Amino acid sequence: MAFDSGLSSSLGPPACEKDATALQFIEEMTRNCDAVQERVLGEILSRNAETEYLGRFGLGGATDRDSYKSKVPVVTYEDLQPDIQRVANGDRSPIFSSHPISEFLTSSGTSAGERKLMPTIHEDWDRRTKLYSLLMPVMNLYVPGLDKGKGLYFLFVKAETKTPSGLVARPVLTSYYKSEHFKTRPYDPYNVYTSPDEAILCVDSFQSMYTQMLCGLLMREEVLRMGAVFASGLVRSIKFLQFNWRQLVDDIATGTLNPRITDAGIKKCMGKMLKVPNPELAQFITKECEGENWEGIITRIWPNTKYLDVIVTGAMAQYIPTLDYFSGGLPLPCTMYASSECYFGLNLNPMSKPSDVSYTIMPNMGYFEFLPHDPSSPTPISRHSPPHLVDLASVELDKEYELVISTYSGLCRYRVGDILRVTGFHNSAPQFKFLRRKNVLLSIDSDKTDEAELQKAIDNASVLLTEFNTSVVEYTSYGDTKTIPGHYVIYWELMSKDPGNLPSHDVLDRCCLAMEESLNSVYRQGRVADNSIGPLEIRVVKNGTFEELMDYAISRGASINQYKVPRCVSFTPIMELLDSRVVSAHFSPCAPQWTPERRG
Ligand code: AMP
């Protein structure tokens, strides 16, 4: 039954008083989008007026948009890197923010092969927590009764490091799960998880996943929603069940915990939960898992699941068919759009089809500007002719933009690198479809590999071929997510000047590893620590294959003069052509090097 709050919300009737307040907040923010943006910019500029960064641009204390836009440049991470390095090295003067930098959040976007370091201030948690608090009230509008059960969410912390000056550097969600905001969250019947905090906070990914899955199985009938941050994580969890169900069933049948689980905190809480053997449940899970057919496994084991809470927009769309297979097509609401730099907004229509998902940027989260993006003529930014950036409330329907943000922690007119299209408005706040991240060629999990990184990896691997007088004449790539975990596939056409001395299978395997060693740290972490990316594969194709590829493109209307080999492919006929010409396939024989410490 809907709660009668007496407050009007065009979103729908709230489920309880708390939801009414949250929906009212969304209404207020979206009705006053431009005024909120003006206030946010004013607050950011007045509190940071004395910072070294803003001081460089002669704002003279001005807090209005015109002064800001005319004086402060639009920047990328590389522009800020020297100052960020100063903070990392221990400079505690107010460079970016008048508030002290509390830690660095490590983005999955990289610069020079390492995660970007995003300075953050303690107070940012209030804004992020506020955005989190809006998600369930919106979900409750569409799915009633979520307070009558639990969420099976696979949530993980990742390794953290310290900068030379001792500031912690870690991913934003690791920071969140370790914070008091998460650990001492008040009880909320709409937000009860099956996973104990001890399991979420365990850095050993096997022990963490095992325990979370075990709890999910023990409470299977209570589970009303299942999720992970990104779709790739949920797919991996189901694969984990496929590999480990026998041990899990054993624990359930005997009421004991797998000896591989050694974490003291987990052992203590699981000891209580596993006290009584449950042979019926063990038998049921065995029956469901022992067959070859895993179609619909999610709804077979967790019959009350109403939806899968995962992000399937952007690069994650490649996992939709696999999730549909495992769940029999349960809804896939993408609830929010966020980054290490700033949390942006939420999806006000979460039950829409993944292809129709739009995010409403909440104007209280930061100051947002939009660089018009014309896919046919990407304009480089020149300091001499500054581009005209559009305000949040002034973007136009159907136009594409690159997102530029200014944050309370001191990023000023920072290019996030996301390309968005305006699809509509809620009140006066625009809604955006996430189109893509600029320059990303390959992405399996949170890794993002661009063309230059791929080229460098090919160059490094090719060195192993020189003693065989062999070179890579053409290449392209493909993110293969049919395997779990997914993996990079690189198609190589080789030219050998010495047919009597061709590189052996073993040499080509080592080329795969050499490529992996050159890829960025997020990729290598996915391979080594998270197990979220499988071994890289090189498929050697017959000579002449890339010429056939060109003929095919030209037959479909490409211009001969302008034809460039695509460095990443996904179009089925092209994949079929390439795969039909494969002469040998090679995989990395072992994992590349990775440690949490930054290289260089
Ligand atoms: P990170 O820098 O690792 O915090 O990752 C943030 C980036 O992930 C964003 O800038 C987007 O490119 C991507 N991202 C975050 N949320 C979504 C979403 N809901 N849909 C698509 N991409 C997203």
mmCIF file of all heavy atoms in Angstrom, residues 107-109 311 313-314 336-341 359 416 418 434 437, ligand 1:
data_model
loop_
_atom_site.group_PDB
_atom_site.id
_atom_site.type_symbol
_atom_site.label_atom_id
_atom_site.label_comp_id
_atom_site.label_asym_id
_atom_site.label_seq_id
_atom_site.Cartn_x
_atom_site.Cartn_y
_atom_site.Cartn_z
ATOM 1 N N SER A 107 40.716 5.573 -10.010
ATOM 2 C CA SER A 107 39.757 5.370 -11.085
ATOM 3 C C SER A 107 40.160 4.158 -11.916
ATOM 4 O O SER A 107 41.332 3.789 -11.966
ATOM 5 C CB SER A 107 39.766 6.624 -11.947
ATOM 6 O OG SER A 107 39.220 6.363 -13.199
ATOM 7 N N SER A 108 39.175 3.556 -12.585
ATOM 8 C CA SER A 108 39.523 2.473 -13.511
ATOM 9 C C SER A 108 39.997 3.053 -14.845
ATOM 10 O O SER A 108 40.467 2.327 -15.703
ATOM 11 C CB SER A 108 38.337 1.540 -13.717
ATOM 12 O OG SER A 108 37.251 2.298 -14.207
ATOM 13 N N GLY A 109 39.861 4.357 -15.010
ATOM 14 C CA GLY A 109 40.504 5.014 -16.150
ATOM 15 C C GLY A 109 41.978 5.156 -15.802
ATOM 16 O O GLY A 109 42.312 5.401 -14.644
ATOM 17 N N ILE A 311 24.574 -2.865 -13.490
ATOM 18 C CA ILE A 311 24.664 -1.907 -14.597
ATOM 19 C C ILE A 311 24.922 -2.671 -15.886
ATOM 20 O O ILE A 311 25.881 -3.456 -15.973
ATOM 21 C CB ILE A 311 25.757 -0.868 -14.304
ATOM 22 C CG1 ILE A 311 25.247 0.048 -13.190
ATOM 23 C CG2 ILE A 311 26.112 -0.069 -15.557
ATOM 24 C CD1 ILE A 311 26.235 1.067 -12.710
ATOM 25 N N THR A 313 24.503 -0.849 -18.901
ATOM 26 C CA THR A 313 24.640 0.162 -19.949
ATOM 27 C C THR A 313 26.132 0.301 -20.295
ATOM 28 O O THR A 313 26.984 -0.191 -19.572
ATOM 29 C CB THR A 313 24.049 1.516 -19.496
ATOM 30 O OG1 THR A 313 24.411 1.746 -18.131
ATOM 31 C CG2 THR A 313 22.545 1.511 -19.603
ATOM 32 N N GLY A 314 26.410 0.982 -21.394
ATOM 33 C CA GLY A 314 27.799 1.158 -21.825
ATOM 34 C C GLY A 314 28.422 -0.181 -22.182
ATOM 35 O O GLY A 314 27.767 -1.069 -22.752
ATOM 36 N N MET A 336 22.127 3.516 -11.120
ATOM 37 C CA MET A 336 22.822 4.810 -11.007
ATOM 38 C C MET A 336 24.010 4.958 -11.935
ATOM 39 O O MET A 336 24.525 3.987 -12.477
ATOM 40 C CB MET A 336 23.227 5.072 -9.559
ATOM 41 C CG MET A 336 24.434 4.316 -9.072
ATOM 42 S SD MET A 336 24.628 4.543 -7.297
ATOM 43 C CE MET A 336 25.678 5.956 -7.238
ATOM 44 N N TYR A 337 24.440 6.193 -12.084
ATOM 45 C CA TYR A 337 25.561 6.558 -12.943
ATOM 46 C C TYR A 337 26.529 7.361 -12.084
ATOM 47 O O TYR A 337 26.144 8.387 -11.511
ATOM 48 C CB TYR A 337 25.012 7.377 -14.121
ATOM 49 C CG TYR A 337 26.047 8.030 -15.010
ATOM 50 C CD1 TYR A 337 27.221 7.368 -15.372
ATOM 51 C CD2 TYR A 337 25.832 9.311 -15.516
ATOM 52 C CE1 TYR A 337 28.159 7.970 -16.198
ATOM 53 C CE2 TYR A 337 26.754 9.920 -16.344
ATOM 54 C CZ TYR A 337 27.923 9.244 -16.678
ATOM 55 O OH TYR A 337 28.844 9.838 -17.488
ATOM 56 N N ALA A 338 27.746 6.839 -11.944
ATOM 57 C CA ALA A 338 28.673 7.453 -10.982
ATOM 58 C C ALA A 338 30.113 7.221 -11.411
ATOM 59 O O ALA A 338 30.383 6.386 -12.272
ATOM 60 C CB ALA A 338 28.462 6.823 -9.612
ATOM 61 N N SER A 339 31.028 7.930 -10.775
ATOM 62 C CA SER A 339 32.446 7.699 -11.049
ATOM 63 C C SER A 339 33.244 8.048 -9.808
ATOM 64 O O SER A 339 32.709 8.592 -8.841
ATOM 65 C CB SER A 339 32.916 8.566 -12.220
ATOM 66 O OG SER A 339 33.132 9.885 -11.773
ATOM 67 N N SER A 340 34.541 7.757 -9.853
ATOM 68 C CA SER A 340 35.405 8.088 -8.722
ATOM 69 C C SER A 340 35.451 9.598 -8.516
ATOM 70 O O SER A 340 35.595 10.069 -7.390
ATOM 71 C CB SER A 340 36.842 7.647 -8.976
ATOM 72 O OG SER A 340 36.882 6.417 -9.572
ATOM 73 N N GLU A 341 35.362 10.344 -9.599
ATOM 74 C CA GLU A 341 35.467 11.803 -9.512
ATOM 75 C C GLU A 341 34.253 12.410 -8.837
ATOM 76 O O GLU A 341 34.350 13.372 -8.096
ATOM 77 C CB GLU A 341 35.572 12.432 -10.911
ATOM 78 C CG GLU A 341 36.769 12.045 -11.732
ATOM 79 C CD GLU A 341 36.524 10.830 -12.598
ATOM 80 O OE1 GLU A 341 35.903 9.859 -12.125
ATOM 81 O OE2 GLU A 341 36.971 10.834 -13.762
ATOM 82 N N TYR A 359 19.825 8.307 -17.522
ATOM 83 C CA TYR A 359 20.153 8.736 -16.162
ATOM 84 C C TYR A 359 19.841 10.220 -16.015
ATOM 85 O O TYR A 359 20.140 11.019 -16.911
ATOM 86 C CB TYR A 359 21.637 8.495 -15.872
ATOM 87 C CG TYR A 359 21.995 7.026 -15.955
ATOM 88 C CD1 TYR A 359 22.620 6.499 -17.079
ATOM 89 C CD2 TYR A 359 21.669 6.168 -14.910
ATOM 90 C CE1 TYR A 359 22.930 5.150 -17.160
ATOM 91 C CE2 TYR A 359 21.973 4.818 -14.979
ATOM 92 C CZ TYR A 359 22.607 4.315 -16.109
ATOM 93 O OH TYR A 359 22.907 2.976 -16.185
ATOM 94 N N VAL A 416 35.458 14.191 -18.071
ATOM 95 C CA VAL A 416 35.332 12.826 -17.545
ATOM 96 C C VAL A 416 35.650 11.804 -18.647
ATOM 97 O O VAL A 416 36.183 10.733 -18.386
ATOM 98 C CB VAL A 416 33.901 12.606 -16.988
ATOM 99 C CG1 VAL A 416 33.679 11.168 -16.581
ATOM 100 C CG2 VAL A 416 33.641 13.545 -15.828
ATOM 101 N N ASP A 418 33.166 10.691 -20.750
ATOM 102 C CA ASP A 418 31.947 9.956 -21.102
ATOM 103 C C ASP A 418 31.152 10.742 -22.139
ATOM 104 O O ASP A 418 31.020 11.970 -22.029
ATOM 105 C CB ASP A 418 31.060 9.757 -19.864
ATOM 106 C CG ASP A 418 31.656 8.772 -18.876
ATOM 107 O OD1 ASP A 418 32.638 8.092 -19.225
ATOM 108 O OD2 ASP A 418 31.136 8.678 -17.753
ATOM 109 N N PHE A 434 23.749 6.871 -21.628
ATOM 110 C CA PHE A 434 25.208 6.719 -21.652
ATOM 111 C C PHE A 434 25.557 6.059 -22.979
ATOM 112 O O PHE A 434 25.133 4.947 -23.259
ATOM 113 C CB PHE A 434 25.661 5.834 -20.479
ATOM 114 C CG PHE A 434 27.147 5.624 -20.454
ATOM 115 C CD1 PHE A 434 27.961 6.449 -19.691
ATOM 116 C CD2 PHE A 434 27.736 4.622 -21.206
ATOM 117 C CE1 PHE A 434 29.345 6.267 -19.681
ATOM 118 C CE2 PHE A 434 29.112 4.435 -21.201
ATOM 119 C CZ PHE A 434 29.917 5.264 -20.436
ATOM 120 N N ARG A 437 32.401 5.496 -23.459
ATOM 121 C CA ARG A 437 33.517 6.255 -22.937
ATOM 122 C C ARG A 437 34.454 6.490 -24.106
ATOM 123 O O ARG A 437 34.697 5.580 -24.903
ATOM 124 C CB ARG A 437 34.199 5.433 -21.859
ATOM 125 C CG ARG A 437 35.129 6.247 -21.048
ATOM 126 C CD ARG A 437 35.509 5.471 -19.824
ATOM 127 N NE ARG A 437 36.630 6.108 -19.210
ATOM 128 C CZ ARG A 437 36.567 6.810 -18.098
ATOM 129 N NH1 ARG A 437 35.424 6.954 -17.476
ATOM 130 N NH2 ARG A 437 37.642 7.364 -17.597
HETATM 131 P P1 AMP B 1 35.652 4.842 -12.353
HETATM 132 O O1 AMP B 1 36.478 5.934 -12.929
HETATM 133 O O2 AMP B 1 36.410 3.577 -12.232
HETATM 134 O O3 AMP B 1 35.002 5.261 -11.104
HETATM 135 O O4 AMP B 1 34.520 4.543 -13.414
HETATM 136 C C1 AMP B 1 33.588 5.524 -13.755
HETATM 137 C C2 AMP B 1 33.142 5.321 -15.169
HETATM 138 O O5 AMP B 1 32.402 4.095 -15.280
HETATM 139 C C3 AMP B 1 32.223 6.385 -15.657
HETATM 140 O O6 AMP B 1 32.885 7.568 -16.028
HETATM 141 C C4 AMP B 1 31.577 5.657 -16.825
HETATM 142 O O7 AMP B 1 32.445 5.639 -17.948
HETATM 143 C C5 AMP B 1 31.419 4.245 -16.277
HETATM 144 N N1 AMP B 1 30.075 4.107 -15.682
HETATM 145 C C6 AMP B 1 29.708 4.377 -14.414
HETATM 146 N N2 AMP B 1 28.384 4.184 -14.250
HETATM 147 C C7 AMP B 1 27.912 3.784 -15.443
HETATM 148 C C8 AMP B 1 26.631 3.431 -15.937
HETATM 149 N N3 AMP B 1 25.552 3.435 -15.162
HETATM 150 N N4 AMP B 1 26.521 3.082 -17.250
HETATM 151 C C9 AMP B 1 27.599 3.052 -18.051
HETATM 152 N N5 AMP B 1 28.832 3.373 -17.646
HETATM 153 C C10 AMP B 1 28.987 3.735 -16.371
#
